[in-house]
Amino acid sequence: MLQGVIPGRMMQRPLLVSSLIEYGKDFHPNSEIVSRRVEGDLHRYTYAAAYRRVCQLAHGLVALGVTPGTRVATLAWNNHRHFELYYAIQGIGAVCHTVNPRLPVDQFKYVLNHADDRVLFTDLTFVPLLEARRADLPPGMKIVVMTDRAHMPESGLPDLFCFEELLAGQAEHYDWPEFDENTACALCYTSGTTGNPKGALYSHRSMVLHSLFARNADLPCFTPRAKFLPVVPLFHVNAWGLPYLAPLSGAGMVMPGPGLDGPSLFKLMDDEAVSSAWGVPTVWLGLLAEMAQQGRKPKALAHVLVGGSAVPPSMLRTFQETYGISVVHGWGMTEMSPVGSLGILEPEMEALPQEEQLRLKAYQGRRMFGVDLKIVDEDGARLPHDGEAIGELAVRGPCVVDGYFNDEPASAAAIDDEGWFRTGDVASISPDGFLMIVDRTKDLVKSGGEWISSIDLENAAMAHPEIAECAVIAAAHPKWDERPLLIVVPAAGADLAKEAVIDFLTARVAKWWLPDDVVFVDELPHGATGKVSKLTLRAQFKDYVLPTA
Ligand code: AMP
């Protein structure tokens, strides 16, 4: 405590997620949420109507036995029912655990059991997946299918409930409980470089602050006059905060459901006059192809937020110069709720020549309010923000995790001596605050926004008797941004072909994890400690062109 300070005289009112949807209902009752349902049609309603269903769902959850602290999983696309689940689960003090349906089988099993989910809400699409993985589900977990009675599937899954029946007849008002703002509200697992995923456990306070901080950014989409479309999934780090920012700002929200291909996105954006859309570079390739095909942009699209991976300069140029759509490049992490930095230019930067503006926009942006950034050398010493020094990036702030859910080893490794979170990204920071991500220390490949563990792939390959040593690095790919490249040193006397290695791995890893190419070398570069130097390898294969590219 600082000597001499005196306490303020303001109320200690908790920051709770329920206040966001209440505000949206009171202040922006007529803003709309439109969503493509998995049943095929479009659903539309206002924030006022959404609020009534959120209340009904909250009653339904209580009737199902959900109590404060209960982990409730969701396995769903971006749609209105998923949105309702966010608020109903969190509003009653339970924890909304969004599960990524693309997780490999073992990780899927791990996260449901590690979270100890008691109830799981699933879109119709994922019922077959649950049936196939029935033995992996936590014992006694109830499953609610997000549909009405007419669409309920024939299924042998036990404890199966119907979403619309859960709501039917429930009161359209809920007295939201008040509790400590540091209470957990949501849980999202992120890939570990090896082994099990790690859970980022958000609090009500961090979620409300993240919404306020992001709203504070000078983005054109947070007004009741805007309509935004989250392509970024609600199952991946809270769709970058959009479900919370929507009712707060009154912006309309258009949810694409499972229709994420270029033509589907184009049509929905065009029909619904979407003004701002958010997603990873891979999805924009599909949209841009459709725009080229039609020779125009979706009629109201004025702004695109690209994050999750670096935006390719050519994409930036096409959006801005060919179609007049302004691009903001963002960087963040699951552990940061997620927004860390945004490429928003100051007025004097907007006066620069176009080429210079594009160069600035290709960087990962400048820190969002509430996020502190530092770069450090191998000994943890701070490096200058001079645009030249390159070091590991660490962050701090009220929306950054201070460890992982029930995972002490991972928590200890994540936080440095000064209490900052180590991002595993390698960056420089310019004097005017632009972040430039140049590499990462974490052994992961990011393909279309989803993580592949290099180490898990290497371990699978090393089980091959004719492989002496191997390493996986990310190689650039025009569609997926990165794809795994497997570099193999064959055992002495081995006669190994690429096809044989791929066949071997096919039985051991998820199909979308399979390396796009296998390269045979005589030896791998090693660092001082004997570990394979991925840094050297990445430099060696910097210009490698994958056969799939
Ligand atoms: P996730 O937690 O899955 O959202 O992934 C966060 C990680 O994705 C970061 O630590 C970076 O490695 C990478 N990432 C996110 N945004 C960008 C970006 N704009 N440019 C480069 N890498 C990014």
Side-chain angles (χ1 to χ4, degrees), residues 371-395:
V371 178
D372 296 330
L373 306 176
K374 69 172 180 180
I375 45 172
V376 297
D377 68 15
E378 279 170 12
D379 302 320
R382 290 192 192 213
L383 295 167
H385 295 189
D386 58 5
E388 287 181 12
I390 289 176
E392 194 190 341
L393 179 64
V395 294

Side-chain angles (χ1 to χ4, degrees), residues 190 236-237 306-311 329-335 364 423 425 437 440 442 446 449 451:
T190 181
H236 187 147
V237 69
V306 190
S309 288
V311 59
H329 183 191
W331 166 86
M333 296 183 72
T334 303
E335 290 90 335
Q364 274 75 11
T423 65
D425 286 330
I437 305 281
R440 64 171 85 101
K442 43 197 177 197
K446 200 164 198 188
W451 291 114

